[in-house]
Amino acid sequence: MATIIAPPIGAQAQAPRRLHISEYLRWSVDHKVIGVQYAVTSLFFFIVGGILAMLIRAELLTPQLDLVQNGQQYNTLFTMHGTVMIFLFIIPMWGAFGNYFVPLMLGAKDMAFPWLNALAFWMIPPAGILLLLGWLIGAPEAGWTSYPPLSSLFSGDGQTMWIMSLHLLGISSILGAINFIVTIKNMRPIGMGYFQMPLFVWAVLAQAITIVMATPFLAGALTLLLLDRIAGTAFFNPAGGGDVLLWQNIFWFYSHPAVYIMILPGFGVLSEVLSVHSRKPIFGYRAIALSSLAIALVGFTVWAHHMFVSLTPELRIPFMITSMIIAVPTGIKVFSWLGTLWGGKLHFTPAMLFALGFLSMFVIGGISGVMLAAVPFDVQVHDTYFVVSHLHFVLFGGSVFAVYAGIYHWFPKVTGRMLNDRLGQVHFVLTYLGFFFTFFPQHLLGMLGMPRRVSVYAPEFQGLNVVVSVAAFLLGISVLVLFYNILRSLREGRAAGPNPWRALTMEWTTTSPPPPHNFHGDPVPFDDPYGYGTEASAAYIDAIERRFGPSAPLSTERRNMPAAQGGD
Amino acid sequence: MNVSERKTNGRNSNALLWIVLAGLAIIGGGFLISLLTPYLFPAQGSTQAQQVDNLFRFMLVIGGAIFLLVQGVLAFSVIRFRAKPGDVSDGAAIHGNTTLEFVWTAIPAVIVLVITIYAYQVWQTTRAVQPNEQVVGTVGARFAWSFSTNVTPDQFPAGVELSQLDPAVQADIEEDGYITITSPQLHTYVGQPVQLQMVTQDVLHSFWVPAMRVKQDLLPGRTTDIRFTPVEAGMYRIVCAELCGSGHGNMAGTLVTTDDNPVYQGAWLNVHADEAAFRREFLEPETLAVLFPPEDPAARGRQLLASGAYPCNTCHVLSDLGWTGNLGPSLDGVGTRTQRLSQTGQPDMEAYIRNSIRRPTDFLVPGFGPLMPQFNPEPDQPNYMPEDHLNAIVAYLLTQTE
Ligand SMILES: [Cu+2]
Ligand SMILES: [Cu+2]
């Protein structure tokens, strides 16, 4: 049973340190600065990708072309939207959370390779610029999947920039992942075995392993495509002895695992948030931790379900089987999270609202995912709005909801200030409704016959498309509420205290924001990161408060209610 | 001791009752949700559609039940386990329950196993080779579909003598053993199994008829196939589902399924002398048009373009043929469009139009990009257009003066 023995340092820990913008604009090897750099960069690209999404939905208000002049411009819109959101928003955003919190959760002073960490980050801004500059020299129009021969023989020179940009982002991602693996393996504090790690750290570990195994395949495919475009090779051109399916196989060998790269850390965030804000131990710790690994590994065997209308028909069956299997570990997670809520004391903080929203939306993505794995049904809805809907239920209803939950949960630690609860609730309601009505009707559109990636469509689909577009605009507005909340709280948010949620993981055993070397002295982990409901955990939290001053805001109430002290 | 034991037992059986009731409600809910199936799909046009929809309905029962289970537990927890204002105590220190965890691993595993087996069966039956299939060659090219059928001499209309035919057509028949008739529409018959053999001229396309529930990519360098058996007469939309460039959304076609004469059901390949109506309807006029091309090159050109053998219609407007494509310049009046001739480096309109088709990028009409495919003179090149076709098409386009 662990307690903090070091003497209190005094009230200095209470006053949030002012953040200097200039610190974040230059090379720094502090993982916390790098984390914020990742976050701000990703949020910038979130806005870029979001604006593109708004343009797409505006175009689709009517069945004809009106906003864009031709199909090619439209193709560029969704190509950029997909590429930006995946490679410049979600993946780097998990880089932000991982960078900032993995060392803190391990009680470490920094990542294992701080310099490499900075290098990985600084590849992202140039990659983003490279991608967007493509617009000036003949924009890419082959979608984020960039199937040849459209991407090799037809798409504009911007396609070459797209390749270079993804190459850079891939290298950045691999370097970051190696760093996480080494950090998690070597820098755990004494007394923290793998099965005492917070589940967010487990999730980042599973993600990092996936990145290291998968991303080199993307690099390979991109290199071949680049050669086809600029050196006259014919890897993907049957006229020169190549094969168009080669690209699809290698690309999806990376890009299906990439789905888990985008969602696994979200699973981690969810485990943290649900447990802390329900004041209850996570249900089935080992099952959750190990199912992350299972998902990461089985995730390597399912890639060809993205090729159910191009792959040789007999070969589709084995991939149907593996794609069905992967639903099982995912189900285990969802049920374990529900088990965590059961019998808890749920506090509906904005972080918790988004975590609950994740559960309720992600399950729809899971169900449609199993349906898509069934080959005969997939054949009907492949390359239609059903798939657009499914992927957004997983990546928006899943990953983005988790990003939001993570922001509300950890913003106090990063800035020393609380986000506004009321605005957080408004943000949640707008997001939840906007999201559902944007994406749910798309299932129907796809089944009824609307293919994806079209700027013109049959007139009978207009009604549903108007619903979708209006809801999408609402979703766009919801993002503004979040940004307003963040900017406002940076200036005038309530001081957070070290541990506003009275959580047990180690990032909360230091001031908010943490000092340059993270901890005052050597922190001692509590032996169960989710050991709520015990005398020991209450004592541990009290010790943090004694040392760094009161937690806010819950423990202020707590102080006034001595009866509740010590758990129950 | 006894009293408390009885009390626990009572509570347990109560809990069991609740679980059973909730389970029944959830499964019943899944059934109710699955009743929506017919409204979620277009009308069933093929036997394949019936099977796919049944599979979907089955998955919707299960998916609907899981949906209700998860949302139900969530809603219940939100209401039942919310912390009272000011309550800062912790929940019970429960870390897991091995039995429960086993159950919620095993049940989903069994469910996906059952779905997999069912889906496998459907997949095998929907793809099964049928006797006496109508085989149709399908070509996708940016951004139009064309469908061709091979007609052997014994299927020619009565009274056609090989010796009457144009020497070029005769040579064709001698070489291949058949002639090919082409149409921008796909004609099928109720109850007649169809097999499409599909190739693409350029990039990936995907042949999809939502009403038939079939879809298959067209892959450069390969011939892919697809099978379905229409069950309902009607006109159905053919959609391109794979991104193929600027005109992807416009790449639609029409599938016509007729059943007006049950005698001819299943008779596509075995046309007998007495099935005159069938031949009158479709086969004969199309065959004759190929066997006896009009002497006048302009008339022949018009016939070629109208047959859909070339994908010009999605990109160009041409009022004479009812084209409404919007990716390229209108071809109305192209025959007298001389104002730009001096910039093109071509001596006259005939040479210019010819070059516009053989080498479209030599001169780009202002305001348009290099989108038009290049139509090549050699059979082994993509977008093959033989010289005599080109001559006829150019002759026809020159007659388009307004
Ligand atoms: Cu196409
Ligand atoms: Cu297309």
Side-chain angles (χ1 to χ4, degrees), chain B residues 16-313:
Chain B
L16 199 67
L17 186 72
W18 277 115
I19 290 174
V20 170
L21 283 181
L24 286 178
I26 284 165
I27 294 171
F31 268 111
L32 287 181
I33 292 177
S34 76
L35 294 181
L36 291 171
T37 306
Y39 308 100
L40 307 179
F41 284 112
Q44 297 175 339
S46 66
T47 52
Q48 280 72 9
Q50 295 160 346
Q51 299 184 41
V52 170
D53 291 8
N54 287 341
L55 171 66
F56 177 76
R57 177 171 320 163
F58 178 69
M59 293 195 294
L60 196 55
V61 174
I62 296 171
I66 292 175
F67 174 83
L68 292 176
L69 172 72
V70 173
Q71 310 292 0
V73 172
L74 262 180
F76 181 83
S77 307
V78 163
I79 295 165
R80 175 73 178 64
F81 301 122
R82 70 181 322 158
K84 312 275 169 315
D87 178 1
V88 289
S89 61
D90 287 353
I94 306 166
H95 285 85
N97 179 327
T98 318
T99 319
L100 203 56
E101 286 171 49
F102 175 78
V103 168
W104 70 43
T105 308
I107 292 183
V110 172
I111 288 177
V112 295
L113 182 73
V114 172
I115 294 181
T116 307
I117 293 171
Y118 184 8
Y120 173 74
Q121 275 180 347
V122 172
W123 184 233
Q124 294 303 71
T125 33
T126 51
R127 281 189 328 117
V129 181
Q130 302 293 322
N132 195 22
E133 283 170 337
Q134 166 192 355
V135 179
V136 184
T138 302
V139 180
R142 308 211 310 167
F143 301 96
W145 299 100
S146 77
F147 302 94
S148 54
T149 305
N150 296 335
V151 184
T152 48
D154 56 315
Q155 297 170 316
F156 288 167
V160 174
E161 295 287 330
L162 279 187
S163 56
Q164 299 171 330
L165 301 178
D166 185 89
V169 178
Q170 273 188 45
D172 249 12
I173 298 176
E174 235 142 71
E175 197 181 316
D176 307 329
Y178 55 79
I179 56 157
T180 303
I181 61 176
T182 314
S183 152
Q185 292 184 341
L186 173 56
H187 294 261
T188 63
Y189 297 85
V190 167
Q192 162 69 59
V194 189
Q195 186 206 5
L196 303 189
Q197 294 187 338
M198 308 191 289
V199 295
T200 165
Q201 296 286 337
D202 35 53
V203 298
L204 302 171
H205 300 279
S206 194
F207 177 92
W208 181 31
V209 185
M212 303 293 167
R213 317 282 192 273
V214 288
K215 185 184 291 134
Q216 168 65 46
D217 277 9
L218 284 65
L219 303 170
R222 285 183 171 80
T223 303
T224 50
D225 67 354
I226 198 169
R227 295 192 156 82
F228 60 94
T229 306
V231 291
E232 268 298 314
M235 299 246 289
Y236 302 101
R237 190 181 302 117
I238 298 170
V239 179
C240 176
E242 185 68 76
L243 178 61
C244 52
S246 183
H248 169 52
N250 295 316
M251 188 166 167
T254 312
L255 165 65
V256 185
T257 301
T258 45
D259 66 347
D260 38 10
N261 197 336
V263 176
Y264 309 122
Q265 287 182 13
W268 179 264
L269 292 178
N270 304 321
V271 183
H272 299 299
D274 59 330
E275 295 178 345
F278 164 71
R279 305 166 66 103
R280 226 177 21 242
E281 245 172 51
F282 175 67
L283 196 61
E284 287 196 357
E286 302 270 344
T287 309
L288 288 173
V290 177
L291 290 177
F292 300 102
E295 295 287 316
D296 172 21
R300 173 133 198 262
R302 185 178 190 285
Q303 192 186 71
L304 279 170
L305 290 183
S307 79
Y310 299 102
C312 327
N313 55 323

Side-chain angles (χ1 to χ4, degrees), chain A residues 371-395:
Chain A
M371 290 176 168
L372 283 171
V375 180
F377 175 69
D378 178 83
V379 161
Q380 169 71 357
V381 293
H382 201 98
D383 277 321
T384 71
Y385 263 87
F386 191 95
V387 172
V388 176
S389 175
H390 164 74
L391 77 91
H392 284 93
F393 265 91
V394 176
L395 293 183

Side-chain angles (χ1 to χ4, degrees), chain A residues 19 24 30-48 84 88-101 117 120-122 124-125 180 403-404 406-408 410-411 414-415 482-483 486 490:
Chain A
L19 303 162
Y24 295 104
D30 179 343
H31 74 101
K32 297 187 293 303
V33 175
I34 296 174
V36 173
Q37 288 172 330
Y38 264 105
V40 172
T41 312
S42 324
L43 287 175
F44 168 78
F45 283 109
F46 184 42
I47 298 177
V48 173
V84 165
L88 290 162
F89 166 54
I90 300 187
I91 297 180
M93 194 68 200
W94 291 133
F97 282 102
N99 263 294
Y100 204 103
F101 293 106
N117 202 16
F121 165 73
W122 282 104
I124 293 174
F180 281 125
V403 165
Y404 287 163
I407 289 177
Y408 286 100
W410 279 310
F411 184 89
V414 177
T415 64
L482 171 69
F483 279 94
I486 290 180
L490 279 177

